[in-house]
Structure formats: C-alpha cells, structure tokens
Amino acid sequence: MIMALTLYDLAGADANRRFSPYCWRIRLAIAHKELPVETIPWRFTDKEVIAFSRQGRVPVLVDAGEVLAGSWTIANHLEQSYRDSRSLFGGPVGVALVRFVESWTDAILLPSLVPLILVDVFERLHEKDRAYFRSSRERLLGTTLEAACADRDKKVINFRHSIEPLRATFKIESFLGGEAPNYADYIVFGGFMWARSTSPFKLLENDDPVALWRDRLLDRFEFARMAPGYDT
Ligand SMILES: N[C@@H](CCC(=O)N[C@@H](CS)C(=O)NCC(=O)O)C(=O)O
C-alpha cells in the first residue's frame, strides 16, 4: 500500500489559495502519478515549520520519512520511486529536454509574469507575510511592487510576443509531452497557475493556442480548475 505523501504548499490568506508556481509543478506531478497526497498550507514566514528540510523554501515533500526539497529533486524522486505509474519525463532524452523547459521557465517565463501579477500576489497574502514579501521582493526588484507593475496593459503585449515558441508548438501539438502532458507541461502550467490563483489580470486572448492548451490541462486536472483563482 502506498502511504500518502505530505507536501508543504505555499498558501495565501485563504489557506485553500495555493499559488507557488513550483508547488503547482509538484501537485500536478503527484496527480500525474496518481498518488495520494496531504498538502499542508505554508506561509513565507513559517520558516521554522520546514526547518527540518534544512532550507527555507517550498515545495518540501515528505515521502515515508524521506525529506525532499526543491521541485526538480522532488519530481525526479517521484519518477524513480513510482516507476509503475506513468512516466513524468519519458526517459533520459525527456529528462534533458524538460531540464531546458525548466531553465526557460525559471529564467524567462516567471520573471516576465512578475510585472503583470506581483501586486495581485501581494493582495492575496496572509497578513503575517506582507511586510516580509514586500521588503524581500522590492529589494530584488529595486523598486516598489506598484511601480514594477505599472503599465500592465502595455507590458502584456510584450509578454504575449515572448511566448511565441509555446504558441507555435501548441498550434501543432496538444501538449509539450505530445499527445499527453508530461512534466514539461506542468512546469510551464505552474507559472500560469501562479497567475490564475492570484491575479484577475488577463494574460492571454481567449483564442490564443496557449490559452487553449491551458484549458486542456484544466480539463484534465479538475482540482486545478476548482482551486481558488481567476478564470481570465
Ligand atoms: N528552485 C526552487 C524554488 C522554490 C521557491 O523559490 N519557492 C518559493 C515559493 S514560490 C519560496 O518558498 N520562497 C520562500 C521565500 O521567498 O522566503 C524549486 O524549484 O523548488
């Protein structure tokens, strides 16, 4: 019998509002593997709660007493420990390609979402996280959250151009994984779930092939569609 996994998952003021793009990757990877999971809502300032993982970020997964931190480490653990269920990567070639998708998402996609959604992320935070979030993010940005998110209507045009490689792919393929989604889809989709769960700002035109791909994933993962968020 498989014991339930325990996942520490970033939450807002509403404990059901889960918004970390990295945690979404793992929630989807666990669902892909059809494994039971208990998720524990975690806030940015709950550092002592995950001190046992010897670092201060989520996702943290506990699997039969084994502690794993970092989404890439966790995804590989799931792939290796649960070989009987569907593969997340589709073999070694897949691992290398998904690594590229992760690098692109972390270096390009997520930073390009920051000036479109970060003020809205702040609004959804638990009271106890607000001062920490504002000061840590404003230090990184070199400006206020509000200034970083000014002129969103103009910035979104550039954002839509920047994801042309995704659009070109989804004109031909159903998923990055081909006929069915794999971990590459969950990495990119995690970014869109970060936006969906925090921000009413409209990122994509309804008929954008990227929006249609996002909808295909929401159809497959009902818990993602039902999660607190904005259907924009
Ligand atoms: N590279 C890590 C990134 C994890 C990460 O940055 N998580 C954020 C939540 S989205 C976090 O826990 N931040 C804690 C903080 O900012 O103090 C991964 O892939 O898991």
Side-chain angles (χ1 to χ4, degrees):
M1 197 185 86
I2 295 172
M3 280 166 56
L5 307 168
T6 304
L7 178 70
Y8 291 81
D9 189 13
L10 184 64
D14 172 359
N16 291 322
R17 187 183 303 280
R18 308 298 175 84
F19 63 92
S20 159
Y22 306 101
C23 293
W24 271 108
R25 296 176 190 180
I26 296 307
R27 291 186 70 191
L28 292 153
I30 291 170
H32 178 103
K33 290 272 183 195
E34 300 183 77
L35 299 169
V37 62
E38 181 197 359
T39 64
I40 297 184
W42 180 87
R43 273 55 180 242
F44 284 107
T45 48
D46 290 340
K47 296 291 183 203
E48 77 290 350
V49 175
I50 55 165
F52 67 88
S53 70
R54 297 170 174 275
Q55 52 87 64
R57 291 173 182 269
V58 289
V60 170
L61 184 80
V62 183
D63 183 0
E66 191 176 351
V67 177
L68 301 125
S71 57
W72 184 259
T73 300
I74 295 171
N76 280 278
H77 166 83
L78 294 171
E79 183 75 336
Q80 275 147 34
S81 304
Y82 301 98
R83 289 172 190 272
D84 291 345
S85 44
R86 282 189 298 140
S87 171
L88 283 166
F89 298 100
V93 174
V95 173
L97 284 172
V98 175
R99 206 28 141 171
F100 167 77
V101 172
E102 187 198 49
S103 302
W104 175 77
T105 302
D106 292 353
I108 307 291
L109 181 68
L110 300 185
S112 70
L113 285 169
V114 164
L116 303 177
I117 68 168
L118 214 62
V119 276
D120 298 326
V121 174
F122 180 74
E123 289 302 319
R124 311 278 98 76
L125 294 179
H126 194 285
E127 193 63 44
K128 68 180 181 180
D129 277 358
R130 290 183 170 212
Y132 166 76
F133 184 87
R134 183 178 279 285
S135 64
S136 59
R137 272 45 184 183
E138 291 187 347
R139 201 175 319 118
L140 284 172
L141 291 165
T143 185
T144 62
L145 300 178
E146 290 73 15
C149 291
D151 294 327
R152 292 199 271 188
D153 291 334
K154 287 192 190 125
K155 285 175 184 153
V156 76
I157 310 278
N158 282 340
F159 169 75
R160 289 175 187 163
H161 283 307
S162 75
I163 57 169
E164 182 55 32
L166 284 178
R167 189 171 296 112
T169 305
F170 297 134
K171 282 181 183 163
I172 300 164
E173 303 286 347
S174 297
F175 298 101
L176 296 176
E179 287 177 4
N182 72 5
Y183 191 58
D185 291 274
Y186 306 145
I187 290 172
V188 178
F189 184 63
F192 285 97
M193 286 306 293
W194 178 35
R196 180 185 169 91
S197 55
T198 54
S199 177
F201 185 72
K202 192 170 175 61
L203 292 176
L204 302 170
E205 301 286 1
N206 293 345
D207 61 353
D208 188 326
V210 182
L212 302 178
W213 159 84
R214 192 180 54 179
D215 232 43
R216 286 194 288 281
L217 282 164
L218 290 169
D219 285 346
R220 282 187 173 236
F221 296 100
E222 186 68 6
F223 73 94
R225 193 184 284 286
M226 299 312 290
Y230 301 88
D231 197 13
T232 49

Short mmCIF file of all heavy atoms in Angstrom, two decimals, residues 10 19-23 25-26 42 44-45 47 50 55-59 69-74 102 106 132-133 136-137 183 194, ligand 1:
data_model
loop_
_atom_site.label_atom_id
_atom_site.label_comp_id
_atom_site.label_asym_id
_atom_site.label_seq_id
_atom_site.Cartn_x
_atom_site.Cartn_y
_atom_site.Cartn_z
N LEU A 10 2.72 26.47 -0.57
CA LEU A 10 2.54 27.90 -0.27
C LEU A 10 1.06 28.31 -0.37
O LEU A 10 0.39 28.02 -1.38
CB LEU A 10 3.36 28.72 -1.27
CG LEU A 10 3.37 30.23 -1.05
CD1 LEU A 10 4.03 30.60 0.27
CD2 LEU A 10 4.09 30.91 -2.21
N PHE A 19 -0.51 29.08 -4.38
CA PHE A 19 -0.12 29.87 -5.54
C PHE A 19 1.34 29.75 -5.97
O PHE A 19 1.75 30.41 -6.92
CB PHE A 19 -0.50 31.34 -5.34
CG PHE A 19 0.19 32.01 -4.19
CD1 PHE A 19 1.38 32.69 -4.39
CD2 PHE A 19 -0.34 31.96 -2.91
CE1 PHE A 19 2.02 33.32 -3.34
CE2 PHE A 19 0.29 32.59 -1.85
CZ PHE A 19 1.47 33.26 -2.06
N SER A 20 2.13 28.90 -5.35
CA SER A 20 3.53 28.82 -5.78
C SER A 20 3.65 28.09 -7.13
O SER A 20 3.15 26.97 -7.28
CB SER A 20 4.34 28.05 -4.75
OG SER A 20 5.52 27.55 -5.34
N PRO A 21 4.32 28.71 -8.11
CA PRO A 21 4.49 28.01 -9.39
C PRO A 21 5.27 26.71 -9.24
O PRO A 21 5.03 25.74 -9.97
CB PRO A 21 5.27 29.01 -10.25
CG PRO A 21 5.88 29.99 -9.30
CD PRO A 21 4.97 30.03 -8.09
N TYR A 22 6.19 26.66 -8.26
CA TYR A 22 7.00 25.45 -8.04
C TYR A 22 6.17 24.36 -7.36
O TYR A 22 6.32 23.17 -7.66
CB TYR A 22 8.24 25.79 -7.21
CG TYR A 22 9.06 26.91 -7.81
CD1 TYR A 22 8.96 28.21 -7.31
CD2 TYR A 22 9.89 26.68 -8.89
CE1 TYR A 22 9.70 29.25 -7.87
CE2 TYR A 22 10.63 27.70 -9.46
CZ TYR A 22 10.52 28.99 -8.95
OH TYR A 22 11.25 30.01 -9.52
N CYS A 23 5.31 24.77 -6.42
CA CYS A 23 4.45 23.78 -5.76
C CYS A 23 3.41 23.22 -6.73
O CYS A 23 3.09 22.03 -6.69
CB CYS A 23 3.76 24.39 -4.54
SG CYS A 23 4.90 24.82 -3.22
N ARG A 25 3.85 22.68 -9.85
CA ARG A 25 4.53 21.63 -10.65
C ARG A 25 4.40 20.28 -9.94
O ARG A 25 4.12 19.25 -10.56
CB ARG A 25 6.03 21.92 -10.76
CG ARG A 25 6.38 23.15 -11.51
CD ARG A 25 7.88 23.41 -11.49
NE ARG A 25 8.10 24.75 -12.03
CZ ARG A 25 9.26 25.34 -12.17
NH1 ARG A 25 10.36 24.69 -11.83
NH2 ARG A 25 9.36 26.55 -12.67
N ILE A 26 4.65 20.33 -8.64
CA ILE A 26 4.70 19.08 -7.89
C ILE A 26 3.30 18.53 -7.64
O ILE A 26 3.07 17.32 -7.72
CB ILE A 26 5.49 19.29 -6.58
CG1 ILE A 26 6.95 19.64 -6.93
CG2 ILE A 26 5.41 18.06 -5.70
CD1 ILE A 26 7.65 18.66 -7.87
N TRP A 42 1.34 26.48 3.84
CA TRP A 42 2.56 27.06 4.42
C TRP A 42 2.65 28.51 4.00
O TRP A 42 2.28 28.85 2.87
CB TRP A 42 3.77 26.27 3.91
CG TRP A 42 5.11 26.72 4.40
CD1 TRP A 42 5.73 26.33 5.54
CD2 TRP A 42 6.01 27.65 3.76
NE1 TRP A 42 6.95 26.95 5.65
CE2 TRP A 42 7.15 27.76 4.58
CE3 TRP A 42 5.95 28.39 2.57
CZ2 TRP A 42 8.22 28.59 4.25
CZ3 TRP A 42 7.03 29.22 2.25
CH2 TRP A 42 8.15 29.30 3.08
N PHE A 44 5.10 32.20 3.82
CA PHE A 44 6.51 32.59 3.65
C PHE A 44 7.26 32.68 4.98
O PHE A 44 8.45 32.36 5.05
CB PHE A 44 6.61 33.95 2.95
CG PHE A 44 6.34 33.91 1.47
CD1 PHE A 44 5.15 34.42 0.96
CD2 PHE A 44 7.28 33.40 0.59
CE1 PHE A 44 4.91 34.41 -0.41
CE2 PHE A 44 7.04 33.39 -0.78
CZ PHE A 44 5.85 33.89 -1.27
N THR A 45 6.56 33.16 6.02
CA THR A 45 7.25 33.41 7.29
C THR A 45 7.22 32.19 8.22
O THR A 45 7.73 32.27 9.34
CB THR A 45 6.65 34.65 7.99
OG1 THR A 45 5.22 34.51 7.97
CG2 THR A 45 7.04 35.93 7.28
N LYS A 47 9.08 29.78 8.49
CA LYS A 47 10.36 29.11 8.20
C LYS A 47 10.62 27.95 9.16
O LYS A 47 11.15 26.90 8.75
CB LYS A 47 11.52 30.12 8.30
CG LYS A 47 11.46 31.24 7.29
CD LYS A 47 11.72 30.77 5.88
CE LYS A 47 11.73 31.95 4.92
NZ LYS A 47 11.45 31.58 3.53
N ILE A 50 9.35 24.32 8.26
CA ILE A 50 10.09 23.46 7.32
C ILE A 50 11.59 23.42 7.64
O ILE A 50 12.39 22.97 6.81
CB ILE A 50 9.86 23.87 5.84
CG1 ILE A 50 10.20 25.33 5.60
CG2 ILE A 50 8.43 23.55 5.40
CD1 ILE A 50 10.34 25.69 4.12
N GLN A 55 16.35 24.06 4.78
CA GLN A 55 16.31 25.20 3.89
C GLN A 55 14.95 25.89 4.10
O GLN A 55 14.14 25.39 4.89
CB GLN A 55 16.58 24.78 2.43
CG GLN A 55 15.71 23.65 1.91
CD GLN A 55 14.40 24.15 1.34
OE1 GLN A 55 14.41 24.87 0.36
NE2 GLN A 55 13.25 23.76 1.93
N GLY A 56 14.72 27.01 3.40
CA GLY A 56 13.56 27.81 3.75
C GLY A 56 12.52 28.00 2.65
O GLY A 56 11.76 28.97 2.67
N ARG A 57 12.52 27.09 1.66
CA ARG A 57 11.59 27.27 0.55
C ARG A 57 10.70 26.06 0.34
O ARG A 57 11.08 24.94 0.70
CB ARG A 57 12.36 27.53 -0.76
CG ARG A 57 13.06 28.85 -0.76
CD ARG A 57 13.97 29.04 -1.97
NE ARG A 57 14.63 30.31 -1.86
CZ ARG A 57 14.15 31.45 -2.37
NH1 ARG A 57 13.07 31.43 -3.11
NH2 ARG A 57 14.77 32.58 -2.18
N VAL A 58 9.54 26.30 -0.26
CA VAL A 58 8.67 25.19 -0.67
C VAL A 58 8.72 25.08 -2.19
O VAL A 58 9.01 26.07 -2.87
CB VAL A 58 7.22 25.41 -0.17
CG1 VAL A 58 7.15 25.24 1.34
CG2 VAL A 58 6.64 26.74 -0.61
N PRO A 59 8.44 23.92 -2.76
CA PRO A 59 7.88 22.73 -2.14
C PRO A 59 8.89 21.93 -1.30
O PRO A 59 10.06 21.84 -1.65
CB PRO A 59 7.43 21.89 -3.35
CG PRO A 59 8.38 22.28 -4.45
CD PRO A 59 8.63 23.75 -4.23
N ALA A 69 13.52 18.53 -0.83
CA ALA A 69 13.24 19.95 -1.06
C ALA A 69 13.66 20.33 -2.48
O ALA A 69 14.65 19.83 -2.99
CB ALA A 69 13.99 20.80 -0.04
N GLY A 70 12.87 21.24 -3.09
CA GLY A 70 13.18 21.70 -4.45
C GLY A 70 12.40 20.88 -5.46
O GLY A 70 12.40 19.65 -5.43
N SER A 71 11.74 21.59 -6.39
CA SER A 71 10.81 20.89 -7.28
C SER A 71 11.51 19.89 -8.20
O SER A 71 10.97 18.81 -8.47
CB SER A 71 10.00 21.91 -8.09
OG SER A 71 10.85 22.75 -8.82
N TRP A 72 12.72 20.22 -8.68
CA TRP A 72 13.40 19.29 -9.60
C TRP A 72 13.77 18.00 -8.87
O TRP A 72 13.56 16.88 -9.38
CB TRP A 72 14.63 19.96 -10.22
CG TRP A 72 15.30 19.08 -11.23
CD1 TRP A 72 16.43 18.34 -11.06
CD2 TRP A 72 14.85 18.82 -12.57
NE1 TRP A 72 16.71 17.64 -12.21
CE2 TRP A 72 15.76 17.92 -13.15
CE3 TRP A 72 13.76 19.28 -13.33
CZ2 TRP A 72 15.62 17.45 -14.46
CZ3 TRP A 72 13.62 18.81 -14.64
CH2 TRP A 72 14.54 17.92 -15.18
N THR A 73 14.31 18.14 -7.67
CA THR A 73 14.67 16.98 -6.85
C THR A 73 13.44 16.13 -6.57
O THR A 73 13.46 14.89 -6.66
CB THR A 73 15.29 17.46 -5.51
OG1 THR A 73 16.44 18.24 -5.83
CG2 THR A 73 15.68 16.31 -4.61
N ILE A 74 12.34 16.80 -6.24
CA ILE A 74 11.12 16.07 -5.88
C ILE A 74 10.56 15.34 -7.11
O ILE A 74 10.18 14.17 -7.03
CB ILE A 74 10.06 17.04 -5.29
CG1 ILE A 74 10.56 17.62 -3.96
CG2 ILE A 74 8.72 16.32 -5.11
CD1 ILE A 74 9.70 18.75 -3.39
N GLU A 102 12.55 23.75 -17.88
CA GLU A 102 12.62 24.32 -16.53
C GLU A 102 13.48 25.59 -16.52
O GLU A 102 13.11 26.62 -15.95
CB GLU A 102 13.19 23.31 -15.53
CG GLU A 102 13.11 23.83 -14.11
CD GLU A 102 14.01 23.12 -13.13
OE1 GLU A 102 15.22 22.95 -13.43
OE2 GLU A 102 13.52 22.72 -12.07
N ASP A 106 12.11 29.27 -15.55
CA ASP A 106 12.61 29.99 -14.38
C ASP A 106 13.32 31.29 -14.76
O ASP A 106 13.24 32.28 -14.04
CB ASP A 106 13.58 29.09 -13.57
CG ASP A 106 12.84 27.93 -12.92
OD1 ASP A 106 11.59 27.90 -12.98
OD2 ASP A 106 13.50 27.04 -12.35
N TYR A 132 7.30 40.98 5.03
CA TYR A 132 8.44 40.19 4.52
C TYR A 132 8.42 40.15 3.00
O TYR A 132 9.45 40.33 2.33
CB TYR A 132 8.38 38.77 5.10
CG TYR A 132 9.30 37.81 4.37
CD1 TYR A 132 10.68 37.84 4.59
CD2 TYR A 132 8.80 36.90 3.44
CE1 TYR A 132 11.53 37.00 3.91
CE2 TYR A 132 9.64 36.05 2.75
CZ TYR A 132 11.00 36.09 2.98
OH TYR A 132 11.84 35.25 2.29
N PHE A 133 7.26 39.89 2.43
CA PHE A 133 7.15 39.76 0.97
C PHE A 133 7.50 41.09 0.31
O PHE A 133 8.31 41.15 -0.62
CB PHE A 133 5.73 39.33 0.59
CG PHE A 133 5.55 39.07 -0.87
CD1 PHE A 133 5.83 37.83 -1.41
CD2 PHE A 133 5.08 40.06 -1.74
CE1 PHE A 133 5.66 37.57 -2.77
CE2 PHE A 133 4.91 39.82 -3.10
CZ PHE A 133 5.20 38.56 -3.60
N SER A 136 11.36 41.87 0.81
CA SER A 136 12.27 40.98 0.08
C SER A 136 12.12 41.16 -1.43
O SER A 136 13.11 41.19 -2.17
CB SER A 136 12.04 39.52 0.49
OG SER A 136 10.72 39.12 0.23
N ARG A 137 10.89 41.32 -1.91
CA ARG A 137 10.69 41.45 -3.38
C ARG A 137 11.12 42.82 -3.86
O ARG A 137 11.69 42.96 -4.95
CB ARG A 137 9.23 41.18 -3.74
CG ARG A 137 8.90 39.72 -4.01
CD ARG A 137 9.47 38.78 -2.98
NE ARG A 137 9.25 37.37 -3.26
CZ ARG A 137 9.63 36.39 -2.45
NH1 ARG A 137 10.26 36.66 -1.31
NH2 ARG A 137 9.41 35.13 -2.77
N TYR A 183 6.01 16.34 -17.50
CA TYR A 183 6.48 17.31 -16.51
C TYR A 183 6.81 18.67 -17.13
O TYR A 183 6.70 19.70 -16.46
CB TYR A 183 7.67 16.73 -15.73
CG TYR A 183 8.03 17.54 -14.51
CD1 TYR A 183 7.10 17.78 -13.49
CD2 TYR A 183 9.30 18.09 -14.36
CE1 TYR A 183 7.41 18.54 -12.37
CE2 TYR A 183 9.63 18.84 -13.23
CZ TYR A 183 8.69 19.07 -12.25
OH TYR A 183 9.00 19.82 -11.14
N TRP A 194 0.18 30.08 -11.03
CA TRP A 194 0.60 31.16 -10.13
C TRP A 194 -0.25 32.41 -10.43
O TRP A 194 -0.82 33.03 -9.52
CB TRP A 194 2.09 31.43 -10.38
CG TRP A 194 2.74 32.52 -9.62
CD1 TRP A 194 2.49 32.90 -8.34
CD2 TRP A 194 3.81 33.36 -10.11
NE1 TRP A 194 3.35 33.92 -8.00
CE2 TRP A 194 4.16 34.22 -9.05
CE3 TRP A 194 4.51 33.44 -11.32
CZ2 TRP A 194 5.17 35.17 -9.17
CZ3 TRP A 194 5.52 34.38 -11.44
CH2 TRP A 194 5.84 35.24 -10.38
N1 LIG B 1 14.18 26.32 -7.23
C1 LIG B 1 13.18 26.07 -6.20
C2 LIG B 1 12.44 27.38 -5.94
C3 LIG B 1 11.45 27.29 -4.79
C4 LIG B 1 10.95 28.66 -4.35
O1 LIG B 1 11.57 29.70 -4.65
N2 LIG B 1 9.81 28.68 -3.65
C5 LIG B 1 9.27 29.92 -3.14
C6 LIG B 1 7.75 29.91 -3.23
S1 LIG B 1 7.22 30.17 -4.91
C7 LIG B 1 9.61 30.05 -1.66
O2 LIG B 1 9.43 29.11 -0.91
N3 LIG B 1 10.08 31.24 -1.24
C8 LIG B 1 10.41 31.46 0.12
C9 LIG B 1 10.85 32.86 0.36
O3 LIG B 1 10.82 33.67 -0.57
O4 LIG B 1 11.17 33.17 1.51
C10 LIG B 1 12.26 24.94 -6.68
O5 LIG B 1 12.29 24.63 -7.88
O6 LIG B 1 11.56 24.36 -5.85
#
